[in-house]
Amino acid sequence: MPARRLFRLAVVCSFFAVAPVQGEVLVLRNFTLIDGTGKAPIAQSAMVVDNGRIAWIGPVSQLKPPSGAETADLTGKFVMPGLIDLHVHLGATVDMVQDAKNQTLENLQQNLKTYASYGVTTVMSMGTDPDLIFKIRDEQRAGRPSVARVYTAGQGFVFKNGYGGLVGVNSQVSTVSEIEPAVAAQAAKKVDFIKFWMDDDQGTFPKMPYEISQAIIQSAHRHGLRVLAHIFYLADAKKLTEQGISGFVHSVRDAPVDQALIDAMKKHGVWQESATLSREESMFAYGKTPEFIADPFFVRGVSPATIRLLSSPERQKTIASSPLYGRYPSFFEMAKKNFKKLVDAGIRYGMGTDTGPPGRFAGYGDHWELQAMVDAGLTPMQAIVAATKSGAEFLGAKDLGTLEKSKWADLVVLNANPMENILNTRAISAVYIAGKPIH
Ligand SMILES: [Zn+2]
């Protein structure tokens, strides 16, 4: 290095040593705080965010704003943690067509941006990811992301020719001996969870045998990974609970959950990780033009081609004439009833939408899910805690989920109180991830 440049570098370094550059500091004040812990909202709150993390949070009367900090006066607004969606599928759907070829870096990032713009600041992607996802995730974790933070189950396990996955990215398995190397391959990529599908879609596909699910769970545990399962049937929920599953990513939908399942889930600490109620409703929502098609909150997140398809009478007719169409409303009702029963029994639960596939919209689907959870009988507070604190706890994300000192400032600013009406989670004024506003 030329001596002159070395000298200049030394001057710069010594300048930093003497007067370190002030961290980027943001002050939010005069809002009502919904901190995600389940505590009642606190009016006249304030927060100091330093380099993306909450440095101080408390009553505005005790705020000592650091000099030179950027300040936002949020009088009349409500601040809650960013939503955590524990069940998404990223990047594969463009204009209502799902194809693994769509999972480019650009589409994945765009999808994560859409979630963020709807106040969803963390997502758990459920077993349909290309390897690109690890690069996105690892870069995010090394810095301060400007799109939704991603957790991933990599490529989930589908029984050969069975139900689930995404053509092009799933790991199909048919024998027990294939399992250990397949799980080891996912573990080597540092997946956050292992996922598999156990369903026959009403007898349409072969279902994964229990010796395969057992092998997946045991192998994952050897690699220190928790396992999540797509289920439909009560009998499978019971069997998988015995086998060591950590959570179910849908509600039981064939029969009412019973005390035996509740007791077993409690004993083994099994979560209803996501109930995906909005998914069940979306299965029959498009047999006619959905009411929300003109809602600007919906329209802003989708393409004109999507709107045209949802309005197409031909498409609606095709959907309404599908063989299972008439049964979906009863699956939806069963999903809600079972979810509420598990919640009341003290089973842990998060919020998850299964958004991503055609007709299940990133971001909009999250607010639909919160509404469906309240329709199922939860309070708005229960729905919000599920979608914030509980979601982070399930992920083991210690820095996320609540608005408390030292956590990341991932938050949503609302113009109306979501405790009074869950639909007010849609009154989004601003979204911050790691203290930076999302545009
Ligand atoms: Zn799913």
Side-chain angles (χ1 to χ4, degrees):
M1 191 180 281
R4 210 141 136 239
R5 245 180 90 196
L6 203 68
F7 171 71
R8 238 187 329 197
L9 193 70
V11 169
V12 169
C13 288
S14 70
F15 171 77
F16 276 102
V18 176
V21 167
Q22 178 92 34
E24 172 203 311
V25 182
L26 170 72
V27 174
L28 305 177
R29 55 189 298 161
N30 300 327
F31 56 86
T32 297
L33 173 67
I34 297 162
D35 68 7
T37 65
K39 261 192 293 191
I42 305 165
Q44 285 301 306
S45 290
M47 183 190 302
V48 178
V49 179
D50 188 350
N51 276 327
R53 288 182 186 266
I54 299 171
W56 181 88
I57 186 160
V60 73
S61 60
Q62 290 170 27
L63 170 69
K64 294 188 190 75
S67 62
E70 190 191 325
T71 299
D73 184 350
L74 301 180
T75 299
K77 310 229 185 269
F78 298 79
V79 172
M80 60 176 263
L83 299 170
I84 298 175
D85 187 335
L86 290 182
H87 188 159
V88 307
H89 297 279
L90 294 173
T93 302
V94 173
D95 293 341
M96 302 284 278
V97 178
Q98 190 177 34
D99 190 324
K101 289 194 194 79
N102 290 330
Q103 290 178 308
T104 60
L105 184 63
E106 292 69 29
N107 279 347
L108 289 162
Q109 293 282 20
Q110 182 56 45
N111 204 189
L112 291 167
K113 198 170 158 188
T114 302
Y115 279 105
S117 77
Y118 279 92
V120 182
T121 54
T122 300
V123 298
M124 164 69 195
S125 187
M126 206 52 91
T128 50
D129 287 324
D131 285 353
L132 259 177
I133 202 74
F134 300 108
K135 177 180 145 66
I136 294 173
R137 180 195 64 180
D138 296 348
E139 280 175 13
Q140 286 186 345
R141 288 187 192 172
R144 289 168 64 184
S146 57
V147 298
R149 300 172 192 273
V150 69
Y151 284 72
T152 178
Q155 302 194 2
F157 292 93
V158 178
F159 186 55
K160 195 162 198 287
N161 301 320
Y163 174 84
L166 172 64
V167 176
V169 288
N170 59 43
S171 332
Q172 293 217 349
V173 288
S174 53
T175 61
V176 167
S177 61
E178 292 167 60
I179 300 302
E180 172 55 29
V183 171
Q186 295 296 309
K189 292 173 186 173
K190 299 199 164 44
V191 292
D192 296 295
F193 288 87
I194 294 288
K195 151 89 182 279
F196 67 80
W197 280 262
M198 180 169 283
D199 199 352
D200 63 4
D201 203 23
Q202 307 304 306
T204 317
F205 295 93
K207 195 163 74 176
M208 180 179 283
Y210 289 145
E211 64 264 25
I212 302 266
S213 58
Q214 180 73 87
I216 295 172
I217 293 167
Q218 285 175 346
S219 180
H221 288 175
R222 278 196 295 276
H223 289 279
L225 290 164
R226 288 181 285 166
V227 186
L228 295 165
H230 166 115
I231 48 132
F232 181 90
Y233 300 100
L234 176 62
D236 293 337
K238 286 182 175 173
K239 187 68 185 181
L240 294 176
T241 296
E242 240 173 66
Q243 290 186 336
I245 203 79
S246 287
F248 300 123
V249 306
H250 300 287
S251 287
V252 167
R253 287 158 283 165
D254 67 318
V257 293
D258 56 17
Q259 198 56 43
L261 177 68
I262 290 167
D263 292 345
M265 286 178 77
K266 267 196 180 165
K267 185 174 157 210
H268 297 286
V270 178
W271 281 53
Q272 182 64 58
E273 193 254 13
S274 51
T276 68
L277 304 175
S278 55
R279 175 213 189 266
E280 307 318 323
E281 198 169 11
S282 78
M283 297 304 282
F284 57 92
Y286 306 117
K288 53 185 172 47
T289 305
E291 270 172 38
F292 57 72
I293 201 155
D295 179 355
F297 186 68
F298 170 70
V299 173
R300 75 166 169 87
V302 299
S303 66
T306 298
I307 301 281
R308 273 198 304 279
L309 278 166
L310 291 178
S311 321
S312 151
E314 293 76 35
R315 188 175 183 277
Q316 292 170 3
K317 228 167 113 186
T318 308
I319 287 171
S321 59
S322 84
L324 287 173
Y325 184 75
R327 298 178 64 193
Y328 288 132
S330 67
F331 297 159
F332 175 50
E333 291 308 315
M334 187 66 80
K336 283 195 289 187
K337 228 166 62 188
N338 281 342
F339 180 50
K340 168 73 168 146
K341 203 165 164 188
L342 293 181
V343 169
D344 288 349
I347 301 298
R348 301 290 321 267
Y349 58 98
M351 184 279 283
T353 57
D354 207 2
T355 42
R360 307 213 292 265
F361 300 101
Y364 183 81
D366 294 86
H367 298 273
W368 184 349
E369 184 70 21
L370 291 170
Q371 180 191 7
M373 288 165 87
V374 170
D375 287 348
L378 276 68
T379 63
M381 182 63 97
Q382 282 180 306
I384 286 169
V385 171
T388 55
K389 172 174 176 267
S390 300
E393 282 176 359
F394 188 79
L395 293 173
K398 292 187 176 62
D399 292 348
L400 305 176
T402 59
L403 298 177
E404 295 174 290
K405 192 172 179 240
S406 84
K407 298 218 178 186
W408 285 116
D410 289 8
L411 54 91
V412 188
V413 182
L414 299 172
N415 292 321
N417 187 354
M419 294 302 150
E420 278 171 12
N421 185 345
I422 196 66
L423 295 178
N424 289 340
T425 60
R426 302 168 188 214
I428 296 173
S429 159
V431 179
Y432 290 77
I433 295 180
K436 282 185 197 152
I438 302 304
H439 296 291

